């Protein structure tokens, strides 16, 4: 689980990875016989029993630095990723963060570029709202309308959703399923873990090779394996 890839010293939420660190992390993956892929590709591979050596890479919030910095490095190491974007805040900023710098988000052209360059574009809702705190109309609008807008922008079916803040409950899961998504990502969904609440591990600037190895080793041990996915290989 990544967010932003850029150079900064102002990172109160520890969501930013510098391009040199990100490249070293990709080099570590490839050096250990692993390849980063989008969530859609990973799930297809699991279903066909060919997921060995694949690691899902996700980028939350749809920062503009995904196309400016991350994609070139992903392509250099023959990797893909899923970028979860906010079509209700096109060309906006991370207005939901009370601290830290304002970071530009992807605009229509950036989203289309990501799709053209082989990345999976998926939904993070319209405006980065905590779906567990919204009323029913807002919940379904955030989930349903964001999928339609992204389909209109990219011309591709939108398979994935990511819960803002990692906040998920049964009501949000049901809304995502009903909107036609085939999977959704969370962080630590606990008993809701499954195809519509997939757990992820945060990767940050401090994560060097040994920390990545430790996180990868502990991920399966610390989190429930989704019961509604084919067994990993």
């Amino acid at each position: 689980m990544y967010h932003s890839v850029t150079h900064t010293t102002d990172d109160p939420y520890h969501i930013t990875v510098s391009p040199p660190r990100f490249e070293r992390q990709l080099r570590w993956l490839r050096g250990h016989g692993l390849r980063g892929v989008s969530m859609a590709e990973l799930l297809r591979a699991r279903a066909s029993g060919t997921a060995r050596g694949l690691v899902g890479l996700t980028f939350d919030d749809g920062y503009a630095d995904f196309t400016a910095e991350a994609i070139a490095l992903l392509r250099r190491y023959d990797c893909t990723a899923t970028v979860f974007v906010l079509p209700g805040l096109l060309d906006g900023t991370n207005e939901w963060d009370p601290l830290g710098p304002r970071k530009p988000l992807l605009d229509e052209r950036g989203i289309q570029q990501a799709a053209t360059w082989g990345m999976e574009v998926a939904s993070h809702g319209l405006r980065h709202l905590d779906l567990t705190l919204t009323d029913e109309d807002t919940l379904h609008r955030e989930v349903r309308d964001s999928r339609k807008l992204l389909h209109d922008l990219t011309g591709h079916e939108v398979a994935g959703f990511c819960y803002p803040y990692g906040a998920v409950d049964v009501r949000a899961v049901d809304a995502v399923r009903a909107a036609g998504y085939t999977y959704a990502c969370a962080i630590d969904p606990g008993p809701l873990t499954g195809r519509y609440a997939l757990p992820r591990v945060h990767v940050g600037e401090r994560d060097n090779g040994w920390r990545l190895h430790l996180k990868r080793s502990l991920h399966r041990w610390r989190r429930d394996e989704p019961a509604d996915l084919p067994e990993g290989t």
Side-chain angles (χ1 to χ4, degrees):
M1 180 180 66
Y2 287 96
H3 287 77
S4 175
V5 179
T6 190
H7 293 281
T8 184
T9 56
D10 188 3
D11 186 28
Y13 300 105
H14 306 290
I15 63 168
T16 305
V17 176
S18 67
R21 174 64 77 181
F22 182 51
E23 181 169 15
R24 289 194 292 272
Q25 292 166 350
L26 292 176
R27 189 184 303 129
W28 181 90
L29 283 177
R30 300 303 274 149
H32 286 76
L34 304 171
R35 183 168 69 89
V37 296
S38 69
M39 289 302 301
E41 183 175 346
L42 179 64
L43 294 175
R44 287 194 301 268
R46 286 182 63 104
S48 64
T50 59
R52 183 182 296 277
L54 300 183
V55 177
L57 301 181
T58 62
F59 290 77
D60 290 11
D61 301 341
Y63 291 106
D65 56 52
F66 181 73
T67 55
E69 300 284 358
I71 284 183
L73 292 170
L74 288 165
R75 287 164 59 88
R76 182 179 303 172
Y77 289 89
D78 191 28
C79 294
T80 59
T82 298
V83 57
F84 292 109
V85 303
L86 296 154
L89 294 175
L90 293 175
D91 206 19
T93 65
N94 54 326
E95 60 187 36
W96 59 88
D97 285 332
L99 303 177
R102 298 302 91 187
K103 290 187 174 186
L105 305 177
L106 289 168
D107 57 12
E108 291 186 12
R109 182 171 178 270
I111 289 172
Q112 291 164 347
Q113 283 180 330
T116 297
W117 290 335
M119 307 297 149
E120 180 190 14
V121 174
S123 174
H124 206 26
L126 290 172
R127 295 167 295 159
H128 204 281
L129 301 182
D130 182 337
L131 299 184
T132 67
L133 302 178
T134 61
D135 59 51
E136 287 296 316
D137 287 344
T138 302
L139 169 62
H140 289 284
R141 187 165 56 250
E142 287 285 319
V143 172
R144 181 189 60 243
D145 292 2
S146 62
R147 186 168 188 253
K148 183 181 185 303
L149 285 171
L150 291 177
H151 175 267
D152 293 344
L153 273 175
T154 65
H156 299 298
E157 287 299 321
V158 179
F161 187 87
C162 177
Y163 302 99
Y165 306 103
V168 57
D169 58 12
V170 172
R171 194 174 62 109
V173 168
D174 288 345
V176 169
R177 183 186 291 110
Y181 295 94
T182 59
Y183 77 88
C185 287
I187 302 175
D188 286 300
L192 291 175
T193 294
R195 178 177 287 274
Y196 288 97
L198 295 168
R200 296 176 296 164
V201 61
H202 168 74
V203 180
E205 179 69 13
R206 295 178 57 201
D207 289 321
N208 54 20
W210 74 266
R211 286 173 61 94
L212 290 174
H213 176 75
L214 184 62
K215 285 186 173 184
R216 182 167 180 261
S217 299
L218 292 177
H219 180 68
R220 190 174 295 245
W221 176 73
R222 291 177 59 224
R223 300 157 193 255
D224 295 330
E225 180 73 6
D228 53 355
L229 292 180
E231 185 65 29
T233 55

